[in-house]
Amino acid sequence: MKFDRTKNALRNIIFGLLQRIYQLIVPFAMRTAMIYWLGVEYLGLDGLFISVLSVLNLAELGVGSAMVYSMYKPVAEDDRTTICALMKLYKIYYRVIGLVVLVGGLILCPFIPKLISDELPAGMNVYILFLLNLGATVLSYWLFAYKNSILQAYQRADVVSKVTMVVNTIRYAAQFVILFFQHDYYMYLIVTLVSQAGINIATAVVAEKIYPHLKPEGSIPDEQKKVINGRIRDLFTSKIGSVIVNSVDTIVVSAFLGLTVLAVYQNYYYIITALLSIVNILIFSCISGIGNSIITETKEKNFADLKTFTFIISGMACFCTTCLLTIYQPFMKLWVKKEELMFAYPAVICFSVYFFIVEVNTLLNAYKDAAGIWHEDRFRPLVTAIVNLCLNLIMVQFWGIYGIL
């Protein structure tokens, strides 16, 4: 099935851009509300839980990308039998992943207080807070997560963008009311849990409506399943580096420097991730199209596309890095209004350089994922993660937050 890659990519870019702008402005307003109505420590708790759960989510690394990659060829050939069988396999894998994350979270739960170097906000039970966050993560796997694979393989990520925007509008409105009137962090997290379930269910309903003929049924030959499992193993090691690098940084900051410093770090890092999410819409919207192109077009055509993308992304990265270096600090001062909630300018330089490196590397990783080139790269991320962890633990004791950066 040779669908219109340009049309689908353009549609994904438009709705992806709308979603990213939405996710930039509204969560930013929520972070601001938490700073003024709850306290900066709560932002630190949010960042810590997200990082801990990201480590637990290592169980998923590789499954989503490997399964979607496995669908590129049957989608191009309109092989519905194979697509349905892959959906069933995806469904089974995600149920197992959700169980692994749940068990891992319950085992880790007693040790969560050890990751916080200072006092919790008054009246907060860290175990209940962690379990609420854990529940939202587990539900994201158990509730029809496999339906996303169809939308991704057919280059219809715009559907996920629409559903997410609608559900999150309801979520953020409810959380804003809770913060303003009740200042209740428990209810804030309960709304997060319910909204995650809503996104999964709504996405599954829409996917069923668009592709009613695709059901999770049938089975994959053992030989093909072995190939898929090999891709998952390679992807696990390929993606583990970035997850551990980002998550371990946050955990080390919390354990050694405290929730307030972590909240400031997360505020600066939030700007980086928000900017990355907007710039990377161009890349992520085209991944499925790239995968389809690799199957259906010549090697020369694909290499010419890669060079074009490289030129565009490099130029965008240079421009954004320059903007960060010049307006990062004025923006932070306008936002948080307190010098004690800001880092010195050398930290801005570190964050800006980090942004440039990540952005340029994202394009190459996107092509690697679209082409399934994971086996050749499986050791580099592991080395990166180990070196980062060791340097964090050593340098944070001498240079504090600059050691982490």
Side-chain angles (χ1 to χ4, degrees):
M1 179 180 181
K2 189 172 181 179
F3 49 77
D4 192 333
R5 292 190 299 268
T6 302
K7 178 181 177 181
N8 286 343
L10 181 60
R11 180 166 47 194
N12 289 342
I13 290 172
I14 292 173
F15 285 101
L17 181 59
L18 290 175
Q19 182 189 9
R20 292 304 180 185
I21 294 174
Y22 177 91
Q23 290 178 335
L24 171 62
I25 296 174
V26 181
F28 175 80
M30 295 303 299
R31 290 180 69 87
T32 306
M34 289 185 71
I35 291 174
Y36 291 107
W37 293 337
L38 283 182
V40 71
E41 297 86 356
Y42 288 90
L43 283 182
L45 279 175
D46 250 11
L48 174 62
F49 291 143
I50 290 172
S51 296
V52 171
L53 292 172
S54 294
V55 174
L56 292 175
N57 283 340
L58 289 176
E60 190 275 342
L61 284 184
V63 173
S65 297
M67 294 303 295
V68 172
Y69 173 78
S70 300
M71 288 183 177
Y72 287 150
K73 185 175 180 180
V75 165
E77 298 174 350
D78 200 21
D79 183 357
R80 298 183 181 182
T81 301
T82 301
I83 295 172
C84 292
L86 286 170
M87 285 178 63
K88 182 179 179 180
L89 184 64
Y90 197 20
K91 179 179 180 180
I92 295 171
Y93 280 178
Y94 260 31
R95 285 180 175 176
V96 173
I97 290 168
L99 181 61
V100 170
V101 172
L102 176 61
V103 173
L106 294 176
I107 293 173
L108 186 61
C109 190
F111 303 98
I112 292 298
K114 303 293 184 182
L115 302 178
I116 303 173
S117 67
D118 49 8
E119 294 294 327
L120 281 171
M124 290 290 102
N125 186 310
V126 68
Y127 301 111
I128 295 177
L129 298 177
F130 178 71
L131 289 175
L132 287 172
N133 281 275
L134 178 64
T137 302
V138 173
L139 283 180
S140 71
Y141 294 121
W142 281 353
L143 290 178
F144 310 109
Y146 66 94
K147 291 284 188 179
N148 268 326
S149 63
I150 293 300
L151 296 172
Q152 296 293 335
Y154 280 94
Q155 209 177 359
R156 290 305 309 271
D158 62 294
V159 173
V160 182
S161 298
K162 296 172 187 175
V163 170
T164 302
M165 287 176 63
V166 171
V167 176
N168 277 344
T169 298
I170 301 172
R171 166 195 169 183
Y172 290 130
Q175 288 179 327
F176 188 86
V177 171
I178 290 170
L179 289 179
F180 184 77
F181 289 103
Q182 295 184 306
H183 307 289
D184 191 331
Y185 189 53
Y186 289 117
M187 288 299 299
Y188 178 92
L189 292 180
I190 290 173
V191 171
T192 300
L193 189 151
V194 173
S195 65
Q196 180 60 63
I199 289 174
N200 280 50
I201 294 172
T203 301
V205 170
V206 176
E208 181 72 20
K209 184 177 181 180
I210 298 176
Y211 306 107
H213 55 285
L214 299 178
K215 308 287 185 182
E217 56 190 16
S219 59
I220 295 294
D222 291 339
E223 191 64 31
Q224 186 177 353
K225 190 181 298 184
K226 184 177 179 181
V227 172
I228 293 173
N229 291 336
R231 291 186 185 130
I232 292 174
R233 286 193 299 269
D234 291 336
L235 258 174
F236 178 85
T237 57
S238 177
K239 291 182 176 292
I240 192 174
S242 61
V243 172
I244 291 184
V245 166
N246 296 331
S247 300
V248 165
D249 286 356
T250 299
I251 294 172
V252 172
V253 172
S254 174
F256 285 88
L257 304 177
L259 291 177
T260 299
V261 176
L262 175 59
V264 178
Y265 172 84
Q266 288 289 334
N267 283 343
Y268 277 83
Y269 192 74
Y270 176 79
I271 304 301
I272 291 290
T273 54
L275 187 56
L276 283 170
S277 68
I278 292 177
V279 177
N280 289 340
I281 290 172
L282 174 63
I283 299 175
F284 296 144
S285 297
C286 298
I287 287 182
S288 296
I290 292 170
N292 185 267
S293 176
I294 290 172
I295 296 295
T296 59
E297 303 289 354
T298 65
K299 184 181 298 184
E300 291 73 20
K301 169 67 165 58
N302 283 291
F303 184 57
D305 291 343
L306 172 60
K307 291 192 290 184
T308 301
F309 273 124
T310 300
F311 177 79
I312 295 172
I313 296 302
S314 297
M316 294 172 67
C318 286
F319 175 78
C320 292
T321 300
T322 305
C323 292
L324 287 172
L325 287 169
T326 54
I327 64 177
Y328 218 138
Q329 285 294 70
F331 176 80
M332 295 303 296
K333 188 173 184 179
L334 181 66
W335 179 22
V336 299
K337 295 181 171 59
K338 298 179 181 179
E339 293 289 340
E340 59 267 27
L341 297 181
M342 295 174 57
F343 291 139
Y345 188 73
V348 171
I349 298 175
C350 293
F351 276 113
S352 301
V353 172
Y354 174 78
F355 168 84
F356 181 85
I357 295 172
V358 170
E359 182 57 39
V360 172
N361 195 47
T362 298
L363 174 62
L364 301 180
N365 283 329
Y367 260 85
K368 185 176 66 177
D369 289 346
I373 308 172
W374 302 308
H375 182 74
E376 295 81 358
D377 192 51
R378 63 193 184 280
F379 294 124
R380 177 188 56 82
L382 293 177
V383 175
T384 301
I386 293 171
V387 171
N388 178 74
L389 175 59
C390 293
L391 290 178
N392 272 346
L393 294 175
I394 295 172
M395 296 171 67
V396 70
Q397 302 182 55
F398 298 99
W399 296 310
I401 194 66
Y402 292 101
I404 302 294
L405 292 174

